[in-house]
Amino acid sequence: MVVAVPKEIKIREYRVGMTPAGARTLAEDGHAVLVETGAGLGSGITDDQYKAAGAEIVDSAVEVYSRGELIVKVKEPLAREFDLLRKGQTLFTYLHLAPAPELTRMLLDKEVTGIAYETVQLADGSLPLLHPMSEVAGRMAVQVGAYYLQKENGGRGVLLAGAPGVRPGKVVILGAGTAGSNALRIAVGMGADVTVLDIDSGRLGFLDDHYGNRIHTLMSNSQNIEDEVKRADLLIGAVLVTGDRAPLLVNRETVSEMADGSVIVDIAVDQGGCIATTRPTTHDHPVFIEEGVVHYGVTNMPGAVSHTSTFALTNSTLAYVRRIAALGVAAAAAEDEALRRGVNTHAGALCNGSVARALDLPFKAYVPSG
């Protein structure tokens, strides 16, 4: 199979869909690997490193897409990439289709098989290809929040660690999954006063056992959310419903009662966001002020730490890429239920129920054939 890796074009997206080690492994498996020139530079990987691994360097995205059978990316295609995709092609990347009707329609119209990293799901409910980037985004959220809490960056001038005789900053985390737990880890390490809310009492119990009186755990309900958010210096949205839009947990009125200069980092912005006042931003213009609160809504947070993120992501994706390349999508999905759950579009049909509900489109379960 021809596996092709284009250069990412999202604003300040420096990650790349494959490392030289991955290219070498696929070449050793007998596949052709095409990499667009310069695709790895943002992650510290040169064209020469890909060539030494057995990949062919091609000069343009047009050639990558025209020759590639399996396109391996990091982020969803942008509008200027739509015309490059063709019927029958397989696209393996983060798609986040629930809040993206135009992208979804293009994949359906072109009959592209779109496999979303974020909906590849194991039998225990875990998301192996979302997990590494959720870890990175969770850890970054506190780092970013601490930066924007500084007065010169628009914040209220709060140090999360506090100082002798001065209370630490209050961090409120909505969601105790992978992203929320990693945000919690960093916030505790920085000495903040941390409260985490979740609907899973077992998960809260685990965190309480692990951190003891260094954190506060609360069941996630409208009353607790409202009470805690109003007092937060840094609010981190880290909720996820696999494939679906994020649930809206914080309304505008509650945000308006936060102190001026407080900071919101909504990690769920890729899936529509869980806070009413958030909207997608870019690394070029990462924040905006709404209701006196600094909002950070960058949709590709891990792209800022591209070297770490690229290697963390591709450590997880490569096994699936190899399986698809060796067997084809149908046989690979028939063999691997987790991969089958990752198929969002195929042959003009929308195959993910959560996305179909979010976009009010017909749903057809993917049944591998052949």
Side-chain angles (χ1 to χ4, degrees):
M1 185 175 283
V2 180
V3 181
V5 183
K7 185 176 181 179
E8 300 293 328
I9 63 170
K10 194 177 183 83
I11 294 174
R12 297 194 183 279
E13 178 51 75
Y14 300 117
R15 290 172 290 181
V16 62
M18 188 173 298
T19 61
R24 177 174 176 172
T25 298
L26 288 167
E28 290 171 346
D29 288 344
H31 305 294
V33 181
L34 310 179
V35 179
E36 185 178 352
T37 185
L41 291 178
S43 295
I45 304 169
T46 66
D47 288 352
D48 285 343
Q49 287 175 288
Y50 283 115
K51 283 193 278 189
E56 178 185 349
I57 304 299
V58 297
D59 291 334
S60 68
V62 172
E63 187 173 0
V64 167
Y65 282 94
S66 65
R67 292 174 59 190
E69 297 171 272
L70 170 60
I71 306 297
V72 179
K73 290 180 88 279
V74 178
K75 293 301 291 179
E76 73 283 351
L78 301 185
R80 66 179 187 268
E81 295 172 292
F82 286 6
D83 288 341
L84 299 177
L85 285 157
R86 52 185 169 80
K87 182 176 179 178
Q89 218 162 27
T90 298
L91 172 66
F92 195 31
T93 189
Y94 288 117
L95 286 174
H96 298 292
L97 294 182
E102 293 178 2
L103 172 59
T104 304
R105 177 49 59 193
M106 180 275 294
L107 295 174
L108 296 176
D109 289 346
K110 292 203 166 192
E111 298 185 14
V112 170
T113 298
I115 307 175
Y117 291 160
E118 73 275 8
T119 63
V120 173
Q121 188 173 26
L122 300 176
D124 64 1
S126 62
L127 305 168
L129 305 187
L130 187 62
H131 184 84
M133 293 303 93
S134 294
E135 289 182 316
V136 171
R139 296 178 186 201
M140 283 187 68
V142 182
Q143 177 177 305
V144 165
Y147 175 81
Y148 284 106
L149 274 171
Q150 294 176 193
K151 193 67 177 177
E152 70 272 21
N153 298 324
R156 61 186 309 224
V158 169
L159 179 66
L160 288 182
V166 182
R167 73 168 183 87
K170 182 173 178 60
V171 177
V172 174
I173 301 170
L174 304 178
T178 302
S181 295
N182 277 271
L184 176 63
R185 174 180 177 177
I186 301 304
V188 169
M190 293 179 73
D193 174 8
V194 189
T195 299
V196 59
L197 299 94
D198 199 275
I199 59 174
D200 184 344
S201 59
R203 183 63 185 162
L204 294 177
F206 170 81
L207 293 173
D208 189 73
D209 287 343
H210 183 75
Y211 289 101
N213 59 9
R214 290 182 291 169
I215 68 169
H216 311 286
T217 59
L218 284 173
M219 286 299 295
S220 182
N221 57 52
S222 58
Q223 184 66 62
N224 284 340
I225 290 172
E226 184 177 314
D227 291 344
E228 293 301 312
V229 167
K230 291 175 183 178
R231 296 194 291 265
D233 295 306
L234 170 58
L235 172 62
I236 296 173
V239 297
L240 173 73
V241 178
T242 306
D244 207 343
R245 290 188 68 93
L248 189 61
L249 299 182
V250 182
N251 60 32
R252 177 176 290 273
E253 182 181 353
T254 303
V255 172
S256 72
E257 296 188 50
M258 296 175 69
D260 287 352
S262 299
V263 175
I264 292 173
V265 177
D266 196 345
I267 301 172
V269 71
D270 261 341
Q271 294 291 113
C274 64
I275 297 157
T277 48
T278 57
R279 63 175 184 265
T281 63
T282 69
H283 285 296
D284 276 353
H285 303 286
V287 297
F288 60 91
I289 308 294
E290 193 81 25
E291 302 290 351
V293 176
V294 181
H295 290 62
Y296 178 96
V298 174
T299 56
N300 59 328
M301 288 177 65
V305 287
S306 52
H307 183 82
T308 297
S309 296
T310 287
F311 283 85
L313 176 61
T314 57
N315 283 345
S316 299
T317 57
L318 181 60
Y320 292 94
V321 173
R322 293 182 74 189
R323 195 168 299 135
I324 296 168
L327 302 174
V329 173
E335 208 176 74
D336 188 332
E337 185 177 355
L339 183 61
R340 186 161 67 249
R341 290 172 176 159
V343 177
N344 281 210
T345 63
H346 176 72
L350 187 54
C351 307
N352 183 284
S354 296
V355 173
R357 285 191 298 274
L359 297 178
D360 196 22
L361 290 172
F363 162 69
K364 181 181 179 181
Y366 175 61
V367 180
S369 60

